[in-house]
Amino acid sequence: MDSMNKTILIVEDEEKIGRFLELELIHEGYSVLKALNGRDGLEMALGGKADLMVLDIMLPEINGLEVLRRLRKSSDMPVIMLTARDEVMDKVAGLDGGADDYMTKPFAIEELLARIRLALKKHTANAKDNKNLLTCGALTMDIARYEVSYDGSRIELTHREFELLRVLLENKNIVISRDTLLEKVCGYDYMGETNIIDVYVRYLRSKLDDVYGIRLISTVRGVGYCIKD
Ligand code: CA
């Protein structure tokens, strides 16, 4: 089940609603954390144990919009806001403030459960996308799209230049020998020139270092190459 191992944090001062939500979520297979005021809710959200937060707006201590604002400084955890029917402006403010979704009270529990599933799914998909990105400073390599850019501008690389850069970025801060690079970039059965890696490094430097005034790839004399953060 999707809900396996996912923890939902409920921040709601109306204990009846909180208890109802808790039972429904547990029934669906989620683990549940609860807070009765904004201060505790924010602390628990920042504690990192929850995968998604259901956040009421009208809360004691710190209201829901302020909880959201403070959370977003350091976390992209999915948040679904709960609003009363007459809090239209709060809905807008919540979405502007980085809420993923909102529900108006009273709500149908099936709809809230559906929105929770959707928000968790979207979040997981985004996290997967980010795994296809390698970065170093302003340099970004999108492996899925086979694109490299520096500060937003595209850089055209040949297949082997791309592969060499990829290996170096995947092993950031580690010195990699020419032999290892040769095997990874050209294949273990490569029989051509042994200085080919030096040649590709030179090409990469002419497309990156020379154009953007940086020193991306360091030469470690007698050993190999390295990209440092
Ligand atoms: Ca409330």
Side-chain angles (χ1 to χ4, degrees), residues 10-88:
I10 302 167
V11 188
E12 166 65 87
D13 58 320
E14 285 165 80
E15 293 194 39
K16 255 172 72 184
I17 296 180
R19 181 70 190 147
F20 167 67
L21 275 178
E22 180 181 23
L23 290 174
E24 291 287 343
L25 288 168
I26 288 172
H27 181 72
E28 290 294 308
Y30 296 102
S31 301
V32 171
L33 295 170
K34 275 200 302 182
L36 294 169
N37 65 62
R39 188 173 304 279
D40 291 348
L42 179 62
E43 197 174 302
M44 288 166 91
L46 292 172
K49 294 211 168 64
D51 299 291
L52 178 145
M53 173 159 58
V54 176
L55 177 63
D56 189 29
I57 288 189
M58 296 290 277
L59 287 169
E61 308 247 354
I62 307 174
N63 77 48
L65 291 173
E66 181 61 17
V67 169
L68 179 67
R69 196 185 67 80
R70 295 193 199 174
L71 178 77
R72 281 291 174 259
K73 286 181 182 170
S74 61
S75 164
D76 67 343
M77 118 192 260
V79 174
I80 297 178
M81 308 288 289
L82 297 182
T83 70
R85 210 178 265 293
D86 51 2
E87 292 169 343
V88 180

Coordinates of all heavy atoms in Angstrom, one line a residue, residues 10-88:
I10 N -0.6 15.8 12.1 CA -1.8 16.6 12.2 C -1.6 17.8 13.1 O -1.3 17.5 14.3 CB -3.0 15.7 12.6 CG1 -3.2 14.5 11.7 CG2 -4.3 16.5 12.7 CD1 -4.1 13.5 12.3
V11 N -1.8 19.0 12.7 CA -1.7 20.1 13.6 C -3.1 20.8 13.6 O -3.5 21.4 12.7 CB -0.6 21.2 13.1 CG1 -0.4 22.2 14.2 CG2 0.7 20.4 12.8
E12 N -3.8 20.6 14.7 CA -5.2 20.9 14.8 C -5.5 21.1 16.3 O -5.3 20.2 17.1 CB -6.0 19.9 14.1 CG -7.5 19.9 14.4 CD -8.2 21.1 13.8 OE1 -8.6 21.1 12.6 OE2 -8.3 22.1 14.6
D13 N -6.1 22.2 16.6 CA -6.4 22.5 18.1 C -7.8 21.9 18.5 O -8.0 21.7 19.6 CB -6.3 24.0 18.4 CG -7.2 24.8 17.6 OD1 -7.4 24.5 16.3 OD2 -7.8 25.7 18.1
E14 N -8.6 21.7 17.5 CA -9.9 21.1 17.8 C -9.7 19.6 18.0 O -9.6 18.8 17.0 CB -10.9 21.4 16.7 CG -11.4 22.8 16.8 CD -12.1 23.2 15.5 OE1 -13.3 22.8 15.3 OE2 -11.5 23.8 14.6
E15 N -9.7 19.1 19.2 CA -9.3 17.7 19.5 C -10.2 16.7 18.8 O -9.7 15.7 18.4 CB -9.3 17.5 21.0 CG -8.2 18.3 21.7 CD -7.8 17.9 23.1 OE1 -7.8 16.7 23.3 OE2 -7.6 18.7 23.9
K16 N -11.5 17.0 18.7 CA -12.4 16.1 18.0 C -12.0 15.8 16.6 O -12.0 14.7 16.1 CB -13.9 16.6 18.1 CG -14.7 15.9 19.1 CD -16.1 16.6 19.3 CE -17.0 16.3 18.1 NZ -18.3 17.0 18.3
I17 N -11.7 16.9 15.9 CA -11.3 16.8 14.5 C -10.0 16.0 14.4 O -9.8 15.1 13.6 CB -11.2 18.2 13.8 CG1 -12.6 18.8 13.8 CG2 -10.6 18.0 12.4 CD1 -12.6 20.2 13.1
G18 N -9.1 16.4 15.3 CA -7.7 15.8 15.3 C -7.8 14.3 15.5 O -7.2 13.5 14.8
R19 N -8.7 13.9 16.5 CA -8.8 12.5 16.8 C -9.5 11.7 15.7 O -9.1 10.6 15.3 CB -9.7 12.4 18.1 CG -10.0 11.0 18.6 CD -8.7 10.4 19.2 NE -8.9 9.0 19.5 CZ -8.0 8.0 19.4 NH1 -6.7 8.4 19.0 NH2 -8.2 6.8 19.7
F20 N -10.5 12.3 15.0 CA -11.2 11.7 13.9 C -10.2 11.5 12.8 O -10.1 10.4 12.2 CB -12.3 12.7 13.4 CG -12.9 12.3 12.1 CD1 -13.6 11.1 11.9 CD2 -12.7 13.2 11.0 CE1 -14.1 10.8 10.6 CE2 -13.2 12.9 9.8 CZ -13.9 11.7 9.6
L21 N -9.4 12.5 12.5 CA -8.4 12.4 11.4 C -7.4 11.3 11.7 O -7.0 10.5 10.9 CB -7.6 13.7 11.2 CG -8.2 14.8 10.4 CD1 -7.4 16.0 10.4 CD2 -8.3 14.2 8.9
E22 N -6.9 11.3 13.0 CA -5.9 10.3 13.4 C -6.5 8.9 13.1 O -5.8 8.0 12.6 CB -5.6 10.5 14.9 CG -4.6 9.5 15.4 CD -4.3 9.7 16.9 OE1 -5.2 10.3 17.6 OE2 -3.3 9.3 17.3
L23 N -7.7 8.6 13.6 CA -8.3 7.3 13.4 C -8.4 6.9 11.9 O -8.0 5.8 11.5 CB -9.6 7.2 14.1 CG -9.6 7.2 15.6 CD1 -11.0 7.3 16.2 CD2 -8.9 6.0 16.2
E24 N -8.8 7.8 11.1 CA -9.0 7.5 9.7 C -7.6 7.2 9.0 O -7.5 6.3 8.2 CB -9.6 8.7 9.0 CG -11.1 8.9 9.3 CD -12.0 7.9 8.7 OE1 -11.6 7.2 7.8 OE2 -13.2 7.8 9.2
L25 N -6.6 8.0 9.4 CA -5.3 7.9 8.8 C -4.7 6.5 9.2 O -4.1 5.8 8.4 CB -4.4 9.0 9.1 CG -4.8 10.4 8.4 CD1 -4.0 11.5 9.1 CD2 -4.4 10.3 7.0
I26 N -4.8 6.2 10.5 CA -4.3 4.9 11.0 C -5.0 3.8 10.3 O -4.3 2.8 9.8 CB -4.4 4.8 12.5 CG1 -3.5 5.8 13.2 CG2 -4.2 3.4 13.0 CD1 -3.6 5.9 14.7
H27 N -6.3 3.9 10.1 CA -7.1 2.9 9.4 C -6.5 2.7 7.9 O -6.6 1.6 7.4 CB -8.5 3.3 9.3 CG -9.4 2.3 8.6 ND1 -9.7 1.1 9.2 CD2 -10.0 2.4 7.4 CE1 -10.5 0.5 8.3 NE2 -10.7 1.2 7.3
E28 N -6.0 3.8 7.3 CA -5.5 3.7 6.0 C -4.1 3.2 5.9 O -3.4 3.1 4.9 CB -5.5 5.1 5.3 CG -6.9 5.6 5.0 CD -7.6 4.8 3.9 OE1 -6.9 4.6 2.8 OE2 -8.7 4.4 4.1
G29 N -3.5 3.0 7.1 CA -2.1 2.5 7.2 C -1.0 3.5 7.4 O 0.2 3.1 7.4
Y30 N -1.4 4.7 7.7 CA -0.4 5.7 8.0 C 0.0 5.7 9.5 O -0.8 5.3 10.3 CB -0.9 7.1 7.7 CG -1.2 7.4 6.3 CD1 -2.5 7.4 5.8 CD2 -0.2 7.7 5.4 CE1 -2.8 7.7 4.5 CE2 -0.5 8.0 4.0 CZ -1.8 7.9 3.6 OH -2.1 8.2 2.3
S31 N 1.2 6.2 9.8 CA 1.5 6.5 11.2 C 1.1 8.0 11.4 O 1.1 8.8 10.4 CB 3.0 6.4 11.4 OG 3.4 5.0 11.2
V32 N 0.8 8.3 12.6 CA 0.3 9.7 12.8 C 1.0 10.4 14.0 O 1.3 9.7 15.0 CB -1.2 9.6 13.1 CG1 -1.8 11.0 13.6 CG2 -2.0 9.2 11.9
L33 N 1.3 11.6 13.8 CA 1.8 12.5 14.9 C 0.8 13.6 15.0 O 0.2 14.0 14.0 CB 3.2 13.1 14.5 CG 4.4 12.1 14.4 CD1 5.6 12.8 13.8 CD2 4.8 11.5 15.7
K34 N 0.6 14.1 16.3 CA -0.3 15.2 16.5 C 0.2 16.3 17.3 O 1.0 16.1 18.2 CB -1.6 14.6 17.2 CG -2.6 14.0 16.3 CD -4.0 13.9 16.9 CE -4.0 13.1 18.2 NZ -5.3 13.0 18.7
A35 N -0.2 17.5 16.9 CA 0.2 18.7 17.7 C -1.1 19.5 17.9 O -1.9 19.6 16.9 CB 1.3 19.5 17.1
L36 N -1.3 20.2 19.0 CA -2.5 20.9 19.3 C -2.3 22.4 19.1 O -3.2 23.2 19.2 CB -2.9 20.6 20.7 CG -3.4 19.2 21.0 CD1 -3.6 19.0 22.5 CD2 -4.7 18.9 20.2
N37 N -1.1 22.9 18.9 CA -0.8 24.3 18.6 C 0.3 24.5 17.6 O 1.0 23.5 17.3 CB -0.5 25.0 19.9 CG 0.8 24.6 20.5 OD1 1.9 24.7 19.9 ND2 0.8 24.0 21.7
G38 N 0.4 25.7 17.1 CA 1.3 25.9 16.0 C 2.8 25.8 16.4 O 3.6 25.3 15.6
R39 N 3.1 26.1 17.6 CA 4.5 26.0 18.1 C 5.0 24.6 18.1 O 6.0 24.3 17.5 CB 4.7 26.7 19.4 CG 6.1 26.8 19.9 CD 6.2 27.6 21.2 NE 5.6 28.9 21.1 CZ 6.1 30.0 20.6 NH1 7.4 29.9 20.1 NH2 5.5 31.1 20.5
D40 N 4.2 23.7 18.7 CA 4.6 22.3 18.7 C 4.5 21.7 17.3 O 5.4 20.9 17.0 CB 3.6 21.5 19.6 CG 3.7 21.8 21.1 OD1 4.7 22.5 21.4 OD2 2.8 21.5 21.8
G41 N 3.5 22.1 16.5 CA 3.4 21.6 15.2 C 4.7 21.9 14.3 O 5.2 21.1 13.6
L42 N 5.1 23.2 14.4 CA 6.3 23.6 13.7 C 7.5 22.8 14.1 O 8.3 22.3 13.3 CB 6.5 25.1 13.9 CG 7.8 25.7 13.1 CD1 7.6 25.5 11.6 CD2 8.0 27.1 13.5
E43 N 7.7 22.7 15.4 CA 8.8 21.9 16.0 C 8.8 20.5 15.5 O 9.8 20.0 15.1 CB 8.7 22.0 17.5 CG 10.0 21.6 18.2 CD 9.9 21.8 19.7 OE1 9.6 22.9 20.1 OE2 10.1 20.8 20.4
M44 N 7.6 19.8 15.5 CA 7.6 18.5 15.0 C 7.8 18.4 13.5 O 8.5 17.4 13.0 CB 6.2 17.9 15.4 CG 6.1 17.6 16.9 SD 4.3 17.3 17.4 CE 4.3 15.5 17.2
A45 N 7.3 19.3 12.8 CA 7.5 19.3 11.3 C 9.0 19.4 11.0 O 9.6 18.7 10.1 CB 6.7 20.4 10.6
L46 N 9.7 20.3 11.7 CA 11.1 20.6 11.5 C 11.9 19.4 12.0 O 13.1 19.2 11.5 CB 11.6 21.9 12.2 CG 11.0 23.2 11.5 CD1 11.4 24.4 12.4 CD2 11.5 23.3 10.1
G47 N 11.4 18.6 12.9 CA 12.0 17.4 13.4 C 12.3 16.4 12.3 O 13.1 15.5 12.5
G48 N 11.5 16.5 11.2 CA 11.8 15.6 10.1 C 11.2 14.2 10.2 O 11.6 13.3 9.4
K49 N 10.4 13.9 11.1 CA 9.8 12.6 11.3 C 8.5 12.4 10.4 O 8.1 11.2 10.3 CB 9.5 12.2 12.7 CG 10.8 12.2 13.6 CD 10.7 11.2 14.7 CE 12.0 10.9 15.4 NZ 12.6 12.1 16.0
A50 N 8.0 13.4 10.0 CA 6.7 13.3 9.2 C 6.9 13.5 7.7 O 7.8 14.2 7.3 CB 5.7 14.4 9.7
D51 N 6.1 12.8 6.9 CA 6.2 13.0 5.5 C 5.3 14.0 4.9 O 5.5 14.5 3.8 CB 5.9 11.6 4.8 CG 6.9 10.5 5.3 OD1 8.0 10.6 4.9 OD2 6.4 9.6 6.1
L52 N 4.3 14.3 5.7 CA 3.3 15.3 5.2 C 2.6 15.9 6.4 O 2.4 15.3 7.4 CB 2.2 14.6 4.3 CG 1.1 15.5 3.7 CD1 0.7 15.0 2.3 CD2 -0.2 15.4 4.6
M53 N 2.2 17.2 6.3 CA 1.5 17.9 7.4 C 0.1 18.3 7.0 O -0.1 18.9 5.9 CB 2.3 19.1 7.9 CG 1.6 19.9 8.9 SD 2.7 20.9 9.9 CE 3.5 21.9 8.7
V54 N -0.9 18.0 7.8 CA -2.2 18.5 7.7 C -2.3 19.7 8.7 O -2.1 19.4 9.9 CB -3.3 17.5 7.9 CG1 -4.7 18.1 7.9 CG2 -3.2 16.3 6.9
L55 N -2.4 20.9 8.2 CA -2.2 22.1 9.1 C -3.4 23.0 9.1 O -3.8 23.5 8.1 CB -1.0 22.9 8.5 CG -0.6 24.2 9.2 CD1 -0.1 23.9 10.6 CD2 0.6 24.8 8.4
D56 N -4.0 23.1 10.3 CA -5.1 24.0 10.5 C -4.6 25.4 10.4 O -3.4 25.7 10.8 CB -5.8 23.7 11.8 CG -7.1 24.5 12.0 OD1 -7.8 24.8 11.0 OD2 -7.5 24.7 13.1
I57 N -5.4 26.4 10.0 CA -5.0 27.8 10.0 C -5.1 28.5 11.4 O -4.2 29.1 11.9 CB -5.6 28.6 8.9 CG1 -5.1 28.1 7.5 CG2 -5.4 30.1 9.0 CD1 -5.5 28.9 6.3
M58 N -6.4 28.4 11.9 CA -6.6 29.0 13.2 C -6.1 28.2 14.3 O -6.7 27.2 14.7 CB -8.1 29.3 13.4 CG -8.7 30.2 12.3 SD -8.2 31.9 12.6 CE -9.4 32.4 13.8
L59 N -4.9 28.5 14.8 CA -4.2 27.7 15.9 C -3.7 28.6 17.0 O -3.4 29.8 16.7 CB -3.0 27.0 15.3 CG -3.2 25.8 14.3 CD1 -1.9 25.5 13.7 CD2 -3.8 24.6 15.1
P60 N -3.7 28.1 18.2 CA -3.1 28.9 19.3 C -1.6 29.0 19.1 O -1.0 28.2 18.4 CB -3.4 28.1 20.5 CG -4.1 26.9 20.1 CD -4.2 26.8 18.6
E61 N -1.0 29.9 19.8 CA 0.5 30.2 19.8 C 1.0 30.7 18.5 O 1.4 31.9 18.4 CB 1.2 28.9 20.2 CG 0.7 28.2 21.4 CD 1.7 28.2 22.6 OE1 2.8 28.7 22.4 OE2 1.3 27.8 23.7
I62 N 1.1 29.9 17.4 CA 1.5 30.4 16.1 C 0.4 30.0 15.1 O 0.1 28.8 15.1 CB 2.9 29.9 15.7 CG1 3.9 30.1 16.7 CG2 3.3 30.5 14.3 CD1 5.3 29.4 16.4
N63 N -0.1 30.9 14.3 CA -1.2 30.4 13.4 C -0.6 29.6 12.2 O 0.6 29.6 12.0 CB -2.1 31.6 13.0 CG -1.4 32.4 11.9 OD1 -0.9 31.9 10.9 ND2 -1.4 33.7 12.1
G64 N -1.5 28.9 11.5 CA -1.0 28.0 10.5 C -0.2 28.6 9.4 O 0.7 28.1 8.9
L65 N -0.6 29.9 9.0 CA 0.1 30.5 7.9 C 1.5 30.8 8.3 O 2.4 30.7 7.5 CB -0.7 31.8 7.5 CG -2.0 31.6 6.8 CD1 -2.7 32.9 6.6 CD2 -1.8 30.9 5.5
E66 N 1.7 31.2 9.6 CA 3.0 31.6 10.1 C 3.9 30.3 10.2 O 5.1 30.3 9.9 CB 2.9 32.3 11.4 CG 4.2 32.7 12.0 CD 5.0 33.7 11.2 OE1 4.5 34.3 10.2 OE2 6.3 33.8 11.4
V67 N 3.2 29.2 10.7 CA 3.9 27.9 10.7 C 4.4 27.5 9.4 O 5.6 27.2 9.2 CB 2.9 26.8 11.2 CG1 3.6 25.4 11.1 CG2 2.6 27.0 12.7
L68 N 3.6 27.7 8.3 CA 3.9 27.4 7.0 C 5.1 28.2 6.5 O 6.1 27.7 5.9 CB 2.7 27.6 6.0 CG 3.0 27.3 4.6 CD1 3.2 25.8 4.3 CD2 1.8 27.8 3.7
R69 N 5.0 29.5 6.8 CA 6.1 30.5 6.4 C 7.4 30.1 7.0 O 8.4 30.1 6.3 CB 5.7 31.9 6.8 CG 6.5 33.0 6.1 CD 6.2 34.4 6.6 NE 6.6 34.5 8.0 CZ 7.9 34.8 8.4 NH1 8.8 35.0 7.4 NH2 8.2 34.9 9.6
R70 N 7.4 29.7 8.2 CA 8.7 29.4 8.9 C 9.2 28.0 8.4 O 10.4 27.8 8.2 CB 8.5 29.3 10.4 CG 8.2 30.7 11.0 CD 8.4 30.7 12.5 NE 7.6 31.9 13.1 CZ 7.5 32.1 14.4 NH1 8.1 31.2 15.2 NH2 6.9 33.1 14.8
L71 N 8.3 27.1 8.2 CA 8.7 25.7 7.7 C 9.3 25.8 6.3 O 10.4 25.2 6.1 CB 7.4 24.8 7.6 CG 7.7 23.4 7.0 CD1 8.3 22.5 8.1 CD2 6.4 22.8 6.5
R72 N 8.8 26.7 5.4 CA 9.3 26.8 4.1 C 10.7 27.3 3.9 O 11.3 27.2 2.9 CB 8.3 27.6 3.2 CG 7.1 26.8 2.8 CD 7.4 25.7 1.8 NE 6.3 24.9 1.4 CZ 6.1 23.7 1.9 NH1 7.0 23.2 2.8 NH2 5.0 22.9 1.6
K73 N 11.2 27.9 5.0 CA 12.6 28.4 5.0 C 13.6 27.3 4.9 O 14.7 27.4 4.4 CB 12.9 29.2 6.3 CG 12.3 30.6 6.3 CD 12.6 31.3 7.5 CE 11.9 32.7 7.6 NZ 12.1 33.3 8.9
S74 N 13.2 26.1 5.3 CA 14.1 25.0 5.3 C 13.6 23.6 4.9 O 14.3 22.7 4.8 CB 14.8 24.8 6.7 OG 13.7 24.5 7.6
S75 N 12.3 23.6 4.5 CA 11.7 22.3 4.2 C 10.7 22.4 3.1 O 9.9 23.3 3.0 CB 11.0 21.7 5.5 OG 10.1 20.7 5.1
D76 N 10.6 21.4 2.2 CA 9.7 21.3 1.2 C 8.6 20.2 1.4 O 8.0 19.7 0.5 CB 10.3 21.2 -0.2 CG 11.0 19.8 -0.3 OD1 11.2 19.1 0.7 OD2 11.3 19.4 -1.5
M77 N 8.5 19.8 2.7 CA 7.5 18.8 3.0 C 6.1 19.2 2.6 O 5.7 20.4 2.7 CB 7.6 18.5 4.5 CG 6.3 18.8 5.3 SD 6.6 18.8 7.1 CE 6.1 17.2 7.4
P78 N 5.4 18.3 2.0 CA 4.0 18.6 1.6 C 3.1 19.0 2.7 O 3.2 18.5 3.8 CB 3.5 17.3 1.0 CG 4.7 16.4 0.8 CD 5.7 16.8 1.8
V79 N 2.3 20.1 2.5 CA 1.5 20.6 3.5 C 0.1 20.8 2.9 O -0.1 21.4 1.8 CB 2.0 22.0 4.0 CG1 0.9 22.6 5.0 CG2 3.3 21.9 4.7
I80 N -0.9 20.3 3.6 CA -2.3 20.5 3.2 C -3.0 21.4 4.3 O -3.0 21.0 5.5 CB -3.1 19.2 3.0 CG1 -2.5 18.4 1.9 CG2 -4.6 19.5 2.7 CD1 -3.1 17.1 1.6
M81 N -3.5 22.5 3.9 CA -4.0 23.5 4.9 C -5.5 23.1 5.1 O -6.2 22.8 4.2 CB -3.9 24.9 4.4 CG -2.6 25.4 4.0 SD -1.4 25.6 5.3 CE -2.1 27.1 6.1
L82 N -6.0 23.3 6.4 CA -7.4 23.2 6.7 C -7.9 24.6 7.0 O -7.3 25.3 7.8 CB -7.6 22.3 7.9 CG -7.2 20.9 7.8 CD1 -7.5 20.2 9.1 CD2 -7.9 20.2 6.7
T83 N -9.0 25.0 6.3 CA -9.5 26.4 6.5 C -11.0 26.3 6.8 O -11.7 25.4 6.3 CB -9.3 27.2 5.2 OG1 -10.2 26.8 4.2 CG2 -7.9 27.2 4.7
A84 N -11.5 27.2 7.6 CA -12.9 27.3 7.8 C -13.5 28.0 6.6 O -12.8 28.6 5.7 CB -13.2 28.2 9.0
R85 N -14.8 27.8 6.4 CA -15.5 28.2 5.2 C -15.4 29.7 4.9 O -15.3 30.1 3.7 CB -17.0 27.9 5.4 CG -17.7 27.6 4.1 CD -19.1 27.2 4.3 NE -19.4 25.8 4.4 CZ -19.3 25.0 3.4 NH1 -18.9 25.4 2.2 NH2 -19.5 23.7 3.5
D86 N -15.2 30.5 5.9 CA -15.2 32.0 5.7 C -13.8 32.5 5.7 O -13.5 33.7 5.8 CB -16.0 32.7 6.8 CG -15.6 32.2 8.2 OD1 -14.7 31.4 8.3 OD2 -16.2 32.7 9.2
E87 N -12.8 31.6 5.5 CA -11.4 32.1 5.4 C -10.8 32.1 4.0 O -9.8 31.6 3.8 CB -10.6 31.2 6.4 CG -10.9 31.3 7.8 CD -10.2 30.3 8.7 OE1 -9.8 29.2 8.1 OE2 -10.2 30.4 9.9
V88 N -11.6 32.7 3.1 CA -11.2 32.6 1.7 C -9.8 33.3 1.5 O -8.9 32.7 0.8 CB -12.2 33.3 0.8 CG1 -11.7 33.3 -0.7 CG2 -13.6 32.7 0.9

